[in-house]
C-alpha cells in the first residue's frame, strides 16, 4: 500500500461510481482495484467491438458483442475477488439514476466519450454535491480534472466546441465537399432503412434560398415547381421523407431503380433549377447501365507501402490496407447494388436499421453512395478508410494515452479522498510524437501540462446560483420542438425537461412525459400565446431542484442561421457564430496553464476544448445510435 | 424500361459483381454481409492506425522486444505493447511474486506467491494477444549478454542496479540495439535511453503547419538551446541534428530526418552528468506550483545509488532519508529554490505511478520501434502526484 494508513482506509471504504467502461474505463477499473478501492459501481450502455480490443484490455476477442459493463466487472473481479463491483448495462441518463442515487457515492469518475452524458453527470454531481473527476482522451492527448461544486470550474463552465453544421440546402442541392456527400449518404441510409427523420431529407429542395436571394431579376424561383417535392425550412417535410421510402418500397428496393432515381432523376431535377448553377459547376447524371457495361478495372491495385525490411516474416502482418484504396465508379456502383440488397435483407429480418460505422454493409453503402454523389458533382471520391473516418467521426485511440489518463485520475481521486482540494490539478498530457517543437528540439520539454483548478465561471448555466436567464429569438417562427432541442436541451442541457408558462395559467408547453411525442411540437411558440417578455419555467425532471426561469425576448433581426441568442456575454459568441474556430473561442477564456508543453499555435486550453466534447472513453450514444449522434453532425442550423 | 428488363439488368449486375467483385461471389448470391475477417489487423488496430499510420503499424507487427523486470512498469509496458500488436516479446525476471506485486503487476494473483514473476505473468498476459509470441524466462539480469540481446529490436530493463544498467548499456551500444532503462523511486520514476545512431522520420521544423511563406528550411539546423540558459553551456557542440530530407526548394518539406547522437549510459548515469545538464537548463517554471526539477532529483538519486549500491527504498525509510538529506545538503547550490522531496522517494511502488510512467514508456518504445515521430530522449522524469512529466536532454 503506497499511502499512509488513514488514506488507505478512506480508499478501501470509499464508494465510487465509474461512468463508462471503455478506453479510459478499463484502465481506470484496473487502477482503482490495484490502488485499493473495493466498492465500485460502473455503468456503460455499449457492447464490445473488434476495434476496442487494441486498448480496452479487460475485453478479449471472445467478448465481442457482449456488454462492456458486464465483462469489465467480471474481469475486475477476476483481478481482485475481494472487491464489490456492481454493473449497469444501460444509459446513465435515466430517471432511476437520480440525485439520491448519486448521493450514495463518495466520488464519481467520468470515463465518457460524449458531451451529452458528461454534461448530465456533471449536473447530477452538482445537484448531489459529490466531487466529480472528469477525463478524456483523443489520440496522444489526454486530460483529467476534478470538479468541486461551487469551488471549481464545472464541466459546463467551458464552452463546448461548436458542432460542425452544414446548411440543409448544401447537403440536398449543392454539395461541394466530400463531407456533404457523406452526410447525405448517411441521411439516405436512414430514409431507406432506418427511422426516417424529416430533418434528414435527401431529395432536391425547392425552397433553397439561393434560388431566391440572387433572384433580382425576379424570374420564377419555383421554376418547374414540382408538387410536393420540397420542404420548408421549418421542417414540415414528412411527406417527402415518406415518399423516398415509399418509392423504395414500391420498387421492392430494386437497386437499379434506386440508382436511377438518386443519381439520374434527382440530379436531372436539380439541373432544372437553373438558378443554382449560375455560379456553380453543374452536376452530371450517371448512367448506371453504361457504368455496369464498362469492363471492370483491376480491383486490387497495390498500394505503395514501405519497401524496407520486407524480410518475409509476413503472414497477416504484410500487405495492403484494403480500405485505403479508392474505388472506381464501376466498383462504387457494384458495391451500391450489393449493399442495397444486403441492407434490404437485414431490414426485412430485423426491422428498421440504425447506421453503424462498424457494420460492414452499412459502411459499404455509405462509401458507395457518397462516392457516387461526389462523382455527380465533380467532387473527389475517397477511400472507404477516409469516409469511415468522417462518417463515423472516429477518434484515434491508443492504450498508452488511456493508461496515462487513468493514472492521473487516481492521483486526483486520492487527493479528493484526502480532502486535499488544492492537491487536485487540471492535467493535460500528450506525447509529442507528431509535434517537433517549432524551433528545434529543446533541452527540456514537458509532457504534462498542469494547472490549479479554475474557479467557477460566473453565469454558468450548470453551476452558478443564478437561475434567471434571458434569450433572444423569433417567437413567431421558432417551433416548440426547436425550442426544446436547441434551447432547453442544447443550451440549458436538461435531459428530460418540463416547461410551463410562469404565470397563473401554468400552461404546459413541454412535458417530459411526452418524450418528444407531443402533438404541438411543430407549432411555433407564438401559438401558445407566448410573446415578447413571456417567462417560462424550465425544470429537469431528472434533477430534484434544478429550475431555470427563461425570459423570452422577441428579435426578428437575428441572423438567418441563428435560432436564438442568450443574453449572456459569455456565451453569446459561441452560439451566435457556430462556425467560429473552436480554438479561437477558447482563447478568450482565462486559464492558468502554466507550462506551454504543447505545440506552438495550439495551447493547452484549446486542447481542453477539443477533448471536452468528444473523446475516446466509453460510448454513451444517447439514443442516437452509434455514429449518428448529434456530436457528429448537427443539422440545427439549416439555412 | 419495364420491370422485367430491369430485373434482367439486375441479374447481369449480380453476375458481374460476383465475377469481378473483390469479395467472393457466393456471399452476393446469398446477400449475406460481406465480412472477410473481423479480426484482421486493419480492423483490430484501426483506431491506432489512424494515429500513427499503417506503415508504422506494420513495423510494430514485425518487432521483437526483450524486457527484464516484471514490476509494475514491466506489466504496463507489456500490456500496452501486446495490445498494440507487437510480434514478439521475451520477458525475463528472477524475482518471486510477493504481496507488493499485487498492487502493481495486474498479471499476477495471490495464488502466484512464491513463483517466478515472469513465468507467473505470462499466462494472463498472453490472453491480451494470441498473435504475440510471448516467452517468459526465469533468470537474473546478468544472463542478458551479447548473444541474448542480438536479434532483438529493442531492450527494456526495469529496476536494476546502476552497475547492471551500465553493463547492458555497453552491450546494446555495441550491437546498436536501442535500450530503455527504467527505475521507479517511490512516487517518482525515470528512464534513460540510448537511441544513439537511430534515425527518425519527424515532421519538419515549424510544427504541424506547413510553413508556406516562412523562411526556407535550412539543410542543417543545429539544436538551439534555451535562451535563458547559463553561459556554461554556450558554445557546446550540440549533438542531435535535424536534416530536412525533402529536396523541393520552394515547398515545405513533408518530413524531416532526425538523427540521434547521444552519450552512452555509463556517462549519463553519473551524478556529474545530471549536475552539468541541470546547470545548463533553465529553472523550471510551474506557475505557482512546486518547482520540481528533474536534474536535481536525478543527481540526488544517482549520488545515493552510487554510494549505497541501490536506490532509495521505503523499507529503509529512516536510514535512507538521513542519507538523502545529507547528500542534498552537499550537492545543493547556495540559494537554490528547486523543490526536492526525498520522502516522495520512500514509498512503495504505486499503481498510478506505474500506469502513467509505463504508458509513457510504452508509447516511446513504439516511437522507437517504428522510427516515426519525435522520441523522448534521453531522460524522462515523472513526479506522479505532482503531475510533472518532463523530457530532459542529458549531455
Amino acid at each position: 500500500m503506497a499511502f499512509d494508513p488513514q488514506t488507505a482506509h478512506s480508499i478501501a471504504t470509499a464508494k465510487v461510481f465509474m461512468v463508462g467502461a471503455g478506453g479510459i474505463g478499463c484502465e481506470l477499473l484496473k487502477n482503482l482495484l490495484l490502488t485499493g478501492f473495493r466498492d465500485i459501481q460502473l455503468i456503460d450502455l455499449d457492447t464490445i467491438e473488434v476495434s476496442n480490443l487494441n486498448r480496452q484490455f479487460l475485453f478479449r476477442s471472445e467478448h465481442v458483442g457482449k456488454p462492456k459493463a458486464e465483462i469489465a466487472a467480471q474481469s475486475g473481479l477476476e483481478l481482485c475477488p475481494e472487491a464489490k463491483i456492481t454493473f449497469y448495462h444501460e444509459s446513465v441518463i435515466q430517471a432511476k439514476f437520480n440525485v439520491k442515487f448519486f448521493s450514495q457515492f463518495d466520488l464519481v469518475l467520468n470515463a465518457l466519450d460524449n458531451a451529452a452524458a458528461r454534461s448530465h453527470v456533471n449536473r447530477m454531481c452538482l445537484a448531489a454535491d459529490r466531487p466529480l473527476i472528469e477525463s478524456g482522451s483523443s489520440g496522444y492527448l489526454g486530460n483529467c480534472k476534478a470538479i468541486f461544486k461551487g469551488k471549481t470550474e464545472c464541466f459546463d463552465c467551458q464552452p463546448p466546441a461548436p458542432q460542425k453544421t452544414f446548411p440543409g440546402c448544401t447537403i440536398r442541392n449543392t454539395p461541394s465537399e466530400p463531407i456533404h456527400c457523406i452526410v447525405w449518404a448517411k441521411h439516405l441510409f436512414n430514409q431507406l432503412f432506418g427511422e426516417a427523420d424529416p430533418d434528414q431529407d435527401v431529395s432536391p429542395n425547392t425552397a433553397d434560398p439561393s434560388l431566391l436571394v440572387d433572384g433580382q431579376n425576379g424570374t420564377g424561383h419555383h421554376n418547374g415547381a414540382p408538387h410536393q417535392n420540397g420542404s420548408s425550412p421549418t421542417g414540415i417535410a414528412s411527406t417527402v421523407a415518406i415518399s423516398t421510402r415509399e418509392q423504395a418500397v414500391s420498387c421492392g428496393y430494386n437497386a437499379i431503380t434506386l440508382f436511377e432515381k438518386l443519381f439520374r432523376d434527382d440530379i436531372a431535377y436539380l439541373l432544372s433549377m437553373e438558378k443554382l448553377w449560375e455560379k456553380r459547376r453543374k452536376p452530371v447524371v450517371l448512367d448506371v447501365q453504361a457504368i455496369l457495361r464498362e469492363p471492370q478495372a483491376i480491383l486490387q491495385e497495390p498500394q505503395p507501402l514501405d519497401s524496407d525490411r520486407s524480410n518475409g516474416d509476413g503472414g497477416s502482418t504484410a500487405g495492403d490496407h484494403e480500405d485505403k484504396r479508392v474505388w472506381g465508379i464501376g466498383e462504387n456502383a457494384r458495391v451500391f447494388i450489393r449493399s442495397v440488397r444486403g441492407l434490404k435483407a437485414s431490414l426485412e429480418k430485423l426491422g428498421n436499421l440504425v447506421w453503424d460505422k462498424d457494420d460492414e454493409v452499412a459502411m459499404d453503402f455509405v462509401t458507395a453512395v457518397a462516392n457516387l454523389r461526389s462523382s455527380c458533382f465533380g467532387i473527389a471520391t475517397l477511400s472507404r478508410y477516409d469516409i469511415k473516418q468522417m462518417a463515423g467521426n472516429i477518434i484515434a485511440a491508443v492504450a498508452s494515452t488511456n493508461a496515462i489518463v487513468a493514472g492521473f485520475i487516481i492521483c486526483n481521486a486520492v487527493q479528493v479522498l484526502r480532502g486535499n482540494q488544492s492537491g487536485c490539478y487540471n492535467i493535460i498530457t500528450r506525447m509529442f510524437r507528431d509535434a517537433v517543437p517549432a524551433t528545434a528540439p529543446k533541452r527540456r520539454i514537458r509532457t504534462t501540462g498542469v494547472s490549479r483548478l479554475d474557479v467557477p465561471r460566473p453565469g454558468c448555466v450548470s453551476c452558478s446560483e443564478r437561475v434567471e436567464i434571458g434569450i433572444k429569438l423569433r417567437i413567431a417562427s421558432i417551433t416548440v420542438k426547436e425550442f426544446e432541442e436547441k434551447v432547453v436541451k442544447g443550451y440549458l442541457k436538461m435531459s428530460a425537461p418540463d416547461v410551463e408558462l410562469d404565470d397563473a395559467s401554468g400552461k404546459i408547453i413541454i412535458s417530459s412525459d411526452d418524450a418528444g411525442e407531443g402533438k404541438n411540437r411543430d407549432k411555433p411558440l407564438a401559438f401558445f400565446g407566448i410573446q415578447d417578455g413571456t417567462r417560462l419555467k424550465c425544470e429537469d425532471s431528472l434533477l430534484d431542484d434544478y429550475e431555470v426561469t427563461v425570459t423570452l425576448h422577441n428579435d426578428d433581426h437575428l441572423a438567418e442561421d441563428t435560432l436564438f441568442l442568450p443574453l449572456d456575454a459569455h456565451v453569446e459568441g459561441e452560439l451566435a457564430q457556430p462556425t467560429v474556430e473552436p480554438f479561437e473561442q477558447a482563447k478568450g477564456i482565462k486559464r492558468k496553464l502554466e507550462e506551454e508543453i504543447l505545440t506552438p499555435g495550439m495551447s493547452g486550453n484549446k486542447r481542453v476544448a477539443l477533448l471536452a466534447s468528444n473523446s475516446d472513453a466509453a460510448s454513451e450514444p444517447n439514443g442516437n445510435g452509434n455514429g449518428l449522434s448529434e456530436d457528429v453532425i448537427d443539422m440545427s442550423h439549416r439555412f | 424500361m419495364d420491370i422485367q428488363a430491369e430485373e434482367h439488368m439486375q441479374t447481369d449486375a449480380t453476375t458481374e459483381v460476383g465475377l469481378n467483385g473483390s469479395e467472393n461471389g457466393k456471399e452476393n448470391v446469398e446477400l449475406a454481409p460481406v465480412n472477410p475477417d473481423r479480426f484482421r489487423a486493419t480492423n483490430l488496430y484501426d483506431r491506432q492506425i489512424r494515429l500513427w499510420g499503417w506503415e508504422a503499424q506494420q513495423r510494430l507487427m514485425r518487432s521483437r522486444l526483450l524486457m527484464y523486470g516484471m514490476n509494475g512498469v514491466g506489466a504496463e509496458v507489456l500490456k500496452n505493447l501486446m495490445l498494440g500488436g507487437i510480434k514478439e516479446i521475451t520477458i525475463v525476471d528472477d524475482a518471486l511474486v510477493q504481496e507488493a506485486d499485487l498492487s502493481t503487476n495486474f498479471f499476477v494473483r495471490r495464488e502466484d506467491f512464491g513463483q517466478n514473476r515472469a513465468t507467473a505473468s505470462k499466462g494472463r498476459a498472453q490472453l491480451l494477444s494470441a498473435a504475440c509470441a510471448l516467452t517468459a524466462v526465469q533468470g537474473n539480469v546478468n544472463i542478458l549478454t551479447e548473444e541474448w540481446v542480438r536479434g532483438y529490436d529493442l531492450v527494456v530493463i526495469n529496476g536494476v542496479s546502476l552497475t547492471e544498467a551500465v553493463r547492458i548499456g555497453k552491450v546494446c551500444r555495441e550491437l546498436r540495439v536501442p535500450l530503455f532503462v527504467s527505475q521507479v523511486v517511490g512516487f517518482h520514476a525515470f528512464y534513460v535511453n540510448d537511441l544513439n545512431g537511430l534515425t527518425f522520420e519527424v515532421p519538419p521544423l515549424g510544427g504541424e503547419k506547413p510553413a508556406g511563406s516562412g523562411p526556407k528550411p535550412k539543410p542543417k539546423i543545429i539544436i538551439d538551446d534555451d535562451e535563458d540558459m547559463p553561459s556554461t553551456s554556450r558554445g557546446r557542440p550540440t549533438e542531435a541534428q535535424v536534416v530536412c530530407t525533402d529536396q523541393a526548394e520552394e515547398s515545405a518539406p513533408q518530413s524531416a530526418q532526425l538523427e540521434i547522437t547521444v552519450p552512452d549510459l555509463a556517462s549519463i548515469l553519473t551524478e556529474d552528468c545530471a549536475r552539468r545538464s541541470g546547470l545548463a537548463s533553465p529553472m523550471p517554471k510551474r506557475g505557482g506550483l512546486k518547482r520540481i526539477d528533474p536534474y536535481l532529483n536525478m543527481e540526488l538519486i544517482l549520488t545515493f545509488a552510487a554510494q549505497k549500491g541501490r536506490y532509495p527504498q521505503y523499507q529503509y525509510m529512516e536510514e535512507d532519508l538521513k542519507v538523502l538529506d545529507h547528500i542534498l545538503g552537499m550537492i545543493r547550490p547556495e540559494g537554490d529554490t528547486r523543490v526536492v522531496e526525498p520522502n516522495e522517494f520512500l514509498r512503495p511502488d504505486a499503481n498510478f505511478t506505474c500506469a502513467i510512467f509505463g504508458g509513457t514508456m510504452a508509447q516511446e518504445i513504439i516511437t522507437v520501434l517504428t522510427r516515426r515521430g519525435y522520441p523522448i530522449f534521453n531522460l524522462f522524469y515523472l513526479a506522479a502526484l505532482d503531475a510533472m512529466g518532463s523530457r530532459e536532454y542529458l549531455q
Side-chain angles (χ1 to χ4, degrees):
Chain A
M1 188 56 59
F3 295 103
D4 56 280
Q6 201 186 337
T7 307
H9 181 257
S10 356
I11 289 172
T13 54
K15 204 169 172 180
V16 300
F17 187 38
M18 204 182 101
V19 192
I24 292 177
C26 283
E27 295 287 336
L28 181 58
L29 183 59
K30 168 207 70 187
N31 290 357
L32 286 169
L33 291 168
L34 293 191
T35 305
F37 287 86
R38 289 295 175 263
D39 190 351
I40 300 165
Q41 301 203 18
L42 63 93
I43 183 166
D44 196 306
L45 59 53
D46 239 3
T47 51
I48 297 160
E49 304 274 356
V50 174
S51 60
N52 297 150
L53 301 178
N54 77 323
R55 60 196 188 283
Q56 302 179 14
F57 81 108
L58 300 178
F59 313 141
R60 300 193 297 270
S61 50
E62 65 265 31
H63 298 138
V64 168
K66 293 192 173 150
K68 287 186 177 179
E70 180 189 343
I71 304 299
Q74 190 181 307
S75 304
L77 284 173
E78 195 275 318
L79 171 61
C80 180
E82 59 265 39
K84 189 179 137 203
I85 305 177
T86 314
F87 70 88
Y88 305 90
H89 174 222
E90 52 196 316
S91 169
V92 73
I93 307 180
Q94 285 190 83
K96 65 190 271 198
F97 302 116
N98 54 17
V99 175
K100 194 169 161 230
F101 175 86
F102 275 83
S103 300
Q104 68 182 300
F105 299 104
D106 297 298
L107 182 59
V108 179
L109 308 166
N110 263 357
L112 284 159
D113 70 347
N114 70 93
R118 283 193 168 99
S119 181
H120 177 80
V121 174
N122 176 51
R123 287 278 175 95
M124 298 307 293
C125 290
L126 291 169
D129 196 8
R130 286 294 177 269
L132 168 67
I133 295 174
E134 171 56 43
S135 65
S137 74
S138 169
Y140 299 121
L141 287 169
N143 84 312
C144 162
K145 69 174 184 180
I147 295 170
F148 297 92
K149 182 186 181 180
K151 293 177 183 145
T152 67
E153 189 181 75
C154 84
F155 177 74
D156 291 324
C157 284
Q158 290 279 351
Q163 296 166 335
K164 223 180 212 161
T165 64
F166 302 102
C169 307
T170 306
I171 302 300
R172 288 169 61 186
N173 290 0
T174 53
S176 57
E177 290 170 31
I179 185 66
H180 300 149
C181 299
I182 294 168
V183 171
W184 187 85
K186 283 173 71 181
H187 289 178
L188 179 65
F189 179 94
N190 283 357
Q191 297 290 343
L192 291 178
F193 307 107
E195 290 285 352
D197 179 342
D199 287 347
Q200 299 185 350
D201 201 345
V202 291
S203 55
N205 178 14
T206 52
D208 193 320
S210 58
L211 292 169
L212 312 168
V213 172
D214 290 337
Q216 283 143 344
N217 55 8
T219 49
H221 44 264
H222 279 269
N223 46 354
H227 41 280
Q228 88 284 13
N229 219 14
S231 81
S232 76
T234 46
I236 310 162
S238 46
T239 52
V240 176
I242 292 164
S243 95
T244 303
R245 180 71 162 254
E246 273 178 350
Q247 285 179 39
V249 171
S250 72
C251 72
Y253 284 90
N254 181 308
I256 301 290
T257 312
L258 283 174
F259 190 107
E260 288 175 339
K261 172 195 156 39
L262 297 167
F263 306 113
R264 188 188 66 192
D265 303 345
D266 283 356
I267 301 294
Y269 181 74
L270 282 174
L271 277 167
S272 74
M273 301 200 272
E274 286 162 17
K275 204 90 201 147
L276 290 178
W277 315 112
E278 280 177 359
K279 287 172 190 161
R280 290 186 182 93
R281 176 180 172 162
K282 282 187 185 178
V284 295
V285 296
L286 299 183
D287 178 350
V288 65
Q289 296 170 37
I291 291 170
L292 291 175
R293 269 196 301 272
E294 287 279 308
Q296 279 272 59
I298 303 149
L299 284 177
Q300 300 293 347
E301 218 163 272
Q303 283 270 109
L305 282 166
D306 54 332
S307 45
D308 64 320
R309 311 212 306 174
S310 321
N311 45 12
D313 48 22
S316 64
T317 71
D320 298 346
H321 192 305
E322 70 272 25
D323 281 359
K324 285 201 167 185
R325 194 169 47 82
V326 179
W327 300 339
I329 192 155
E331 189 170 6
N332 278 311
R334 285 172 176 81
V335 173
F336 173 81
I337 292 163
R338 194 179 62 211
S339 58
V340 166
R341 292 186 190 170
L343 293 168
K344 178 197 172 194
S346 304
L347 179 66
E348 282 163 0
K349 214 161 65 190
L350 309 165
N352 275 344
L353 309 176
V354 175
W355 189 79
D356 178 355
K357 62 183 181 298
D358 292 313
D359 181 304
E360 302 272 342
V361 187
M363 193 56 234
D364 279 346
F365 175 84
V366 165
T367 305
V369 168
N371 279 337
L372 289 167
R373 188 163 169 89
S374 291
S375 304
C376 293
F377 287 91
I379 299 165
T381 57
L382 301 176
S383 69
R384 192 180 188 276
Y385 178 87
D386 288 334
I387 290 179
K388 187 171 181 175
Q389 173 86 47
M390 292 192 242
N393 196 28
I394 294 178
I395 290 159
V398 62
S400 48
T401 308
N402 290 331
I404 295 167
V405 170
F408 280 126
I409 293 175
I410 299 292
C411 293
N412 270 332
V414 168
Q415 301 293 19
V416 170
L417 293 179
R418 281 172 164 175
N420 180 14
Q421 193 185 306
S422 64
C424 293
Y425 301 124
N426 183 5
I427 298 160
I428 299 166
T429 172
R430 76 155 305 171
M431 293 294 155
F432 42 96
R433 194 185 159 95
D434 284 318
V436 171
T439 51
K442 290 200 172 168
R443 186 177 287 278
R444 162 174 288 158
I445 304 165
R446 300 295 194 202
T447 60
T448 317
V450 54
S451 64
R452 292 189 197 286
L453 300 173
D454 247 330
V455 294
R457 183 173 63 81
C460 169
V461 290
S462 291
C463 71
S464 70
E465 292 297 317
R466 196 182 59 146
V467 291
E468 288 269 349
I469 65 160
I471 278 181
K472 286 203 273 190
L473 34 60
R474 283 180 294 264
I475 290 172
S477 66
I478 186 170
T479 65
V480 171
K481 182 184 171 191
E482 288 169 329
F483 185 75
E484 174 176 351
E485 296 297 327
K486 301 306 164 195
V487 180
V488 189
K489 288 185 174 168
Y491 177 56
L492 297 177
K493 301 200 166 63
M494 293 189 172
S495 300
D498 287 306
V499 178
E500 57 184 54
L501 293 182
D502 187 30
D503 61 15
S505 78
K507 187 166 170 186
I508 293 170
I509 310 296
I510 296 165
S511 165
S512 54
D513 295 338
D514 292 343
E517 301 295 325
K519 57 183 186 301
N520 286 326
R521 283 166 47 85
D522 287 332
K523 299 262 167 52
L525 289 185
F527 178 80
F528 297 89
I530 292 169
Q531 45 188 298
D532 191 29
T534 298
R535 289 155 60 83
L536 296 176
K537 232 160 68 179
C538 308
E539 281 178 44
D540 192 337
S541 65
L542 295 190
L543 287 162
D544 281 349
D545 61 343
Y546 181 64
E547 185 185 305
V548 177
T549 307
V550 181
T551 306
L552 304 181
H553 302 272
N554 191 45
D555 185 347
D556 291 326
H557 304 293
L558 287 180
E560 252 199 284
D561 60 353
T562 305
L563 205 56
F564 71 96
L565 270 186
L567 294 178
D568 178 342
H570 290 283
V571 208
E572 212 161 89
E574 142 217 355
L575 284 152
Q577 293 160 341
T579 51
V580 165
E581 257 289 283
F583 304 150
E584 289 306 311
Q585 293 171 15
K587 229 190 237 170
I589 293 157
K590 181 178 139 284
R591 182 172 271 276
K592 296 174 295 241
L593 238 154
E594 39 97 10
E595 284 172 352
E596 187 69 24
I597 56 155
L598 306 161
T599 320
M602 201 159 181
S603 77
N605 38 11
K606 290 172 183 176
R607 290 186 184 271
V608 173
L610 193 72
L611 290 171
S613 64
N614 209 339
S615 70
D616 171 59
S619 271
E620 180 75 13
N622 195 19
N624 284 305
N626 219 352
L628 252 189
S629 78
E630 290 183 344
D631 288 350
V632 184
I633 286 139
D634 180 66
M635 295 297 293
S636 60
H637 299 275
R638 321 184 294 271
F639 306 113
Chain B
M1 190 186 295
D2 64 35
I3 289 170
Q4 269 185 338
E6 272 195 44
E7 282 304 320
H8 182 67
M9 270 299 308
Q10 199 169 346
T11 315
D12 282 346
T14 310
T15 320
E16 256 189 275
V17 171
L19 286 174
N20 299 323
S22 55
E23 319 303 345
N24 69 54
K26 195 178 112 239
E27 282 172 339
N28 280 303
V29 176
E30 290 174 1
L31 290 173
V34 179
N35 198 355
D37 171 18
R38 298 170 78 200
F39 295 96
R40 63 194 188 272
T42 50
N43 238 13
L44 190 54
Y45 303 118
D46 181 75
R47 297 306 184 269
Q48 67 199 42
I49 291 169
R50 289 176 196 276
L51 200 53
W52 55 57
W54 176 232
E55 186 183 326
Q57 179 63 36
Q58 287 181 300
R59 286 193 195 178
L60 182 59
M61 294 192 298
R62 287 195 299 258
S63 295
R64 306 174 71 219
L65 180 90
L66 174 64
M67 176 159 73
Y68 173 84
M70 282 304 295
N71 58 3
V73 172
E76 288 285 344
V77 167
L78 181 61
K79 173 200 71 186
N80 293 339
L81 287 171
M82 289 195 68
L83 289 173
I86 195 168
K87 184 189 175 194
E88 187 181 327
I89 300 184
T90 303
I91 49 175
V92 184
D93 205 338
D94 57 348
L96 304 181
V97 178
Q98 49 182 327
E99 182 74 36
D101 292 311
L102 287 187
S103 53
T104 51
N105 179 338
F106 44 90
F107 292 124
V108 299
R109 303 285 181 271
R110 200 165 285 279
E111 66 259 29
D112 300 322
F113 278 16
Q115 303 218 18
N116 177 271
R117 209 158 58 168
T119 49
S121 302
K122 181 182 181 271
R124 289 184 197 84
Q126 184 72 71
L127 295 175
L128 296 181
S129 164
C132 176
L134 179 61
T135 314
V137 175
Q138 184 172 337
N140 188 274
V141 67
N142 60 26
I143 69 166
L144 301 184
T145 55
E146 202 174 306
E147 301 95 277
W148 254 90
V149 170
R150 198 188 299 278
Y152 286 99
D153 296 304
L154 194 144
V155 175
V156 180
I157 305 291
N158 301 314
V160 301
S161 69
L162 268 180
T163 331
E164 275 302 321
V166 168
R167 182 189 66 79
I168 291 169
K170 216 166 158 187
V171 171
C172 287
R173 179 160 278 230
E174 265 166 33
L175 292 171
R176 298 175 65 96
V177 175
L179 169 70
F180 284 69
V181 175
S182 89
Q183 183 65 44
V184 180
V185 191
F187 288 164
H188 292 207
F190 67 88
Y191 75 65
V192 289
N193 59 12
D194 185 355
L195 310 181
N196 195 51
L198 301 191
T199 303
F200 290 79
E201 187 189 321
V202 296
L205 293 182
E208 288 144 322
K209 285 176 193 165
S213 56
K216 253 186 285 176
K218 294 168 201 155
K220 259 188 188 181
I221 296 156
I222 304 297
I223 289 178
D224 187 16
D225 281 331
D226 289 302
E227 282 172 20
D228 51 352
M229 196 172 292
S231 58
T232 52
S233 76
R234 295 246 185 253
R236 184 195 303 275
T238 52
E239 295 171 80
Q241 294 178 335
V242 174
V243 183
C244 293
T245 50
D246 196 292
Q247 299 305 309
E249 284 287 275
E250 291 305 315
S251 64
Q254 291 304 299
S255 68
Q257 301 274 315
L258 170 73
E259 197 188 331
I260 292 176
T261 315
V262 286
D264 62 13
L265 284 200
S267 29
I268 65 173
L269 278 177
T270 64
E271 60 265 39
D272 283 351
C273 179
R275 183 181 313 127
R276 246 192 353 256
S277 303
L279 290 174
S281 285
M283 288 289 272
K285 290 179 221 139
R286 299 250 305 159
L289 299 176
K290 284 185 213 165
R291 294 167 67 116
I292 302 166
D293 180 31
Y295 291 114
L296 188 55
N297 280 280
M298 278 296 286
E299 193 182 341
L300 177 56
I301 292 168
L302 292 174
T303 311
F304 180 100
Q307 276 186 18
K308 306 278 286 187
R310 62 167 173 86
Y311 289 97
Q313 267 178 306
Y314 73 101
Q315 290 94 331
Y316 312 105
M317 169 95 71
E318 277 182 39
E319 177 194 338
D320 286 3
L321 202 52
K322 266 187 219 149
V323 178
L324 286 166
D325 281 339
H326 177 72
I327 295 172
L328 188 57
M330 312 233 302
I331 64 174
R332 180 163 217 154
E334 200 66 30
D336 185 84
T337 56
R338 292 173 291 178
V339 173
V340 183
E341 296 168 319
N343 55 335
E344 291 274 296
F345 302 159
L346 299 166
R347 310 275 197 154
D349 290 6
N351 145 263
F352 59 85
T353 312
C354 298
I356 300 165
F357 182 78
T360 310
M361 191 158 89
Q363 190 54 63
E364 285 316 300
I365 290 166
I366 291 171
T367 304
V368 174
L369 288 173
T370 61
R371 304 287 199 277
R372 210 194 134 252
Y374 188 76
I376 300 183
F377 69 99
N378 45 5
L379 167 68
F380 173 73
Y381 196 94
L382 174 76
L385 266 191
D386 294 292
M388 195 287 292
S390 190
R391 174 267 182 169
E392 312 287 331
Y393 184 38
L394 295 169
Q395 293 187 17

